[in-house]
Amino acid sequence: MAYTKVTNLWIVLLFLLACTTALANNTPYSNGNNERSMNVNNDSLLMIESQTLSKAYQFDAAIELLEQVVKADSFNVEALTRLEGLYYKTSQYNDAIRLADYLIAQKEDSAYYQIRKALSLRAIGQYQNSLNILIRTYAADTSNSYISTQIGDLYKALEKPDSAIIFYNKTCQIKPNSSAMIKAMDLYFQLKQEEKALYFFASYFKPEFETNRLLLRLFGKALYLNGKIKLPRETFNRLYAAGDSSLVTCKYLGTCMWKQENYDEGIPVLENFILRDSLDYQVYFMLGACHIKSDALYNSEKGIYSLEKAISLIEPDSKTLSLMYNELALHYRRIKNYDKELDMYLIMKENEPDSKYVDYQMATLYDYGLNDKKEALKRYQDLLAQYKIDTINNKKTDIVTFCENRVQELKEEQFWEE
């Protein structure tokens, strides 16, 4: 009886030993499932670890783990999709495209990965290939504002502004979008279609966009370019008062103040612009004019410096250059430095030889400033001859009337002096 018990015990021990050996060597005793189970568990751990690394923005390490999983199991869709996302996020667009193609071939969310592929193609500059995909996607669903916006962006990148505007319009028709509005208005400005830019804004603006400073700047710019002064000034005033001292806001607000002859208010705004951009000749020109024309903040030195700085910055067209020299000439007249005033007019005459305005200013300068009546008389007569040639229907201007009267007066003075 004791022998039987011992024998049975040995049989049990031998069986347990055989099972342990089988587990170690993958023998039939394991039922063929143990290694696969271990691999699945290992993949799951790698997936969890990669997700943890991704949340810590350790993308490279997370990618390495996912690549191990995919290498072991090329049909692990979850690993493939996560890997594609990380490739895109880390700008490895070619790898992202390769995985998108693979997932499309496996019929895994084909529509989604077509769009993902298009976005990666766009990122590497293959705009037309990207556009071809998204146009097909949009044709299948014309209510998708995200896709219409992407198409607009691609047309913009391909330098086809008219087509880009069409799709930004489609986006805003589906749902007004401040970002699409900004892009469209910017393109309208590039095309010199300021009126359309203003109409586009009016068509899609919503009260919730009130805090979008960039959009409001474009609105103010559109108003100004459409010949408005009061409304853009009010718009830029609100922006400036709210702390927006961007170049656009300072320049257009300062310009409106200068045009409305609010020189005192314009000076600090234009100076604020120059703190960030000291290469804009227009701002220097307006600032110089403000310093010279302001009553409360009149500063001859700053005015002359700003105007001369404007002239030194560019080679503008003759009319713009004459405007700058005219401001200097008027300043020199104000301080009764008539020789310098004459120098400015001579420079203006070189830029615009046929300018009757300059001829008139020089005639009056010789008459009242330099007190050279003989030269003044000659210049008045020359100027009248020019007006006679240009006069249509014999309609007199105030300048012509003044010159005629002054010629008569000077002749009478000359007669009595002789």
Side-chain angles (χ1 to χ4, degrees):
M1 187 73 175
Y3 176 78
T4 303
K5 289 180 179 179
V6 171
T7 302
N8 289 338
L9 180 61
W10 274 106
I11 290 170
V12 172
L13 289 172
L14 288 170
F15 177 77
L16 290 173
L17 181 62
C19 289
T20 303
T21 304
L23 287 171
N25 296 303
N26 195 27
T27 64
Y29 282 105
S30 68
N31 296 321
N33 295 320
N34 188 63
E35 184 176 348
R36 287 194 296 275
S37 177
M38 289 177 66
N39 286 338
V40 170
N41 289 336
N42 185 53
D43 288 352
S44 297
L45 290 173
L46 290 176
M47 293 281 285
I48 292 169
E49 188 177 352
S50 73
Q51 193 167 12
T52 302
L53 290 168
S54 292
K55 289 180 178 179
Y57 291 91
Q58 297 182 33
F59 298 131
D60 292 336
I63 286 171
E64 288 181 11
L65 295 180
L66 289 172
E67 286 175 339
Q68 290 180 37
V69 174
V70 170
K71 186 175 181 180
D73 180 6
S74 61
F75 294 100
N76 190 323
V77 174
E78 185 180 358
L80 288 166
T81 56
R82 286 191 192 178
L83 188 55
E84 185 273 342
L86 287 177
Y87 279 148
Y88 184 87
K89 191 174 287 185
T90 56
S91 303
Q92 300 179 60
Y93 300 115
N94 286 318
D95 288 328
I97 292 168
R98 176 176 54 81
L99 278 188
D101 280 335
Y102 180 79
L103 289 164
I104 292 168
Q106 299 301 316
K107 303 192 184 305
E108 291 289 340
D109 293 329
S110 295
Y112 173 78
Y113 282 104
Q114 286 285 359
I115 296 171
R116 295 286 296 177
K117 179 181 178 180
L119 296 176
S120 291
L121 286 167
R122 174 188 167 186
I124 60 175
Q126 294 191 28
Y127 302 134
Q128 190 59 56
N129 289 336
S130 177
L131 184 61
N132 293 341
I133 293 172
L134 292 178
I135 287 290
R136 291 195 297 270
T137 304
Y138 181 75
D141 180 9
T142 58
S143 64
N144 191 324
S145 64
Y146 176 78
I147 299 300
S148 61
T149 302
Q150 299 304 311
I151 293 172
D153 290 346
L154 284 165
Y155 275 124
K156 184 180 178 183
L158 288 166
E159 298 183 2
K160 296 180 178 179
D162 291 323
S163 298
I165 288 172
I166 288 171
F167 276 89
Y168 291 141
N169 238 312
K170 291 180 183 294
T171 294
C172 291
Q173 286 170 358
I174 297 166
K175 182 179 180 181
N177 180 298
S178 59
S179 177
M181 289 176 68
I182 289 166
K183 293 171 186 175
M185 291 180 72
D186 189 52
L187 289 174
Y188 277 126
F189 291 142
Q190 291 178 32
L191 296 170
K192 308 296 183 186
Q193 296 176 357
E194 295 85 3
E195 190 174 347
K196 289 184 178 180
L198 192 56
Y199 179 78
F200 190 93
F201 178 91
S203 299
Y204 300 119
F205 181 76
K206 298 292 180 185
E208 53 264 35
F209 300 156
E210 279 285 357
T211 57
N212 192 317
R213 289 182 177 179
L214 182 53
L215 183 59
L216 292 179
R217 287 176 209 153
L218 292 173
F219 171 56
K221 181 178 178 180
L223 287 169
Y224 178 83
L225 294 176
N226 276 280
K228 313 295 184 184
I229 298 296
K230 184 180 178 181
L231 288 175
R233 176 172 175 173
E234 290 174 355
T235 301
F236 286 116
N237 246 331
R238 287 196 298 271
L239 287 166
Y240 195 73
D244 178 8
S245 56
S246 63
L247 292 176
V248 171
T249 295
C250 288
K251 182 169 183 176
Y252 280 96
L253 178 57
T255 302
C256 290
M257 290 173 169
W258 167 70
K259 283 200 168 185
Q260 292 182 319
E261 299 183 5
N262 298 133
Y263 305 123
D264 300 346
E265 297 176 75
I267 287 172
V269 176
L270 294 170
E271 286 179 338
N272 204 350
F273 178 98
I274 286 173
L275 290 174
R276 294 172 196 59
D277 183 353
S278 59
L279 300 175
D280 191 316
Y281 82 91
Q282 292 177 324
V283 174
Y284 272 109
F285 161 57
M286 291 184 290
L287 180 59
C290 286
H291 274 303
I292 286 173
K293 292 179 175 178
S294 170
D295 293 324
L297 300 176
Y298 168 74
N299 189 311
S300 170
E301 185 178 347
K302 287 185 177 180
I304 293 172
Y305 168 80
S306 296
L307 289 168
E308 290 180 342
K309 179 72 173 178
I311 293 168
S312 70
L313 281 172
I314 60 160
E315 289 295 335
D317 61 90
S318 59
K319 287 188 177 180
T320 304
L321 196 57
S322 290
L323 281 173
M324 296 179 187
Y325 280 113
N326 185 57
E327 292 294 342
L328 286 169
L330 294 176
H331 168 67
Y332 288 127
R333 174 179 292 188
R334 178 175 178 175
I335 63 175
K336 299 182 179 180
N337 189 338
Y338 300 124
D339 290 332
K340 291 290 289 183
E341 181 184 354
L342 180 60
D343 288 341
M344 298 302 103
Y345 290 139
L346 291 172
I347 294 173
M348 292 169 66
K349 191 66 176 172
E350 289 178 8
N351 292 325
E352 294 187 273
D354 299 326
S355 173
K356 289 191 284 293
Y357 169 81
V358 177
D359 289 329
Y360 172 74
Q361 294 291 356
M362 290 179 74
T364 56
L365 173 60
Y366 276 110
D367 191 0
Y368 299 105
L370 298 171
N371 201 30
D372 187 339
K373 305 301 182 182
K374 185 176 181 180
E375 182 66 24
L377 176 59
K378 178 180 178 300
R379 289 183 177 273
Y380 283 132
Q381 290 172 328
D382 291 343
L383 185 57
L384 284 171
Q386 290 185 55
Y387 273 107
K388 186 175 181 181
I389 294 171
D390 296 340
T391 299
I392 301 173
N393 299 326
N394 296 319
K395 186 177 181 180
K396 287 186 179 181
T397 66
D398 292 339
I399 291 178
V400 170
T401 301
F402 172 82
C403 289
E404 287 177 342
N405 292 336
R406 194 61 185 142
V407 165
Q408 185 63 34
E409 291 169 358
L410 287 172
K411 282 183 176 180
E412 289 177 4
E413 289 178 17
Q414 191 178 54
F415 171 79
W416 289 109
E417 285 176 4
E418 293 176 353

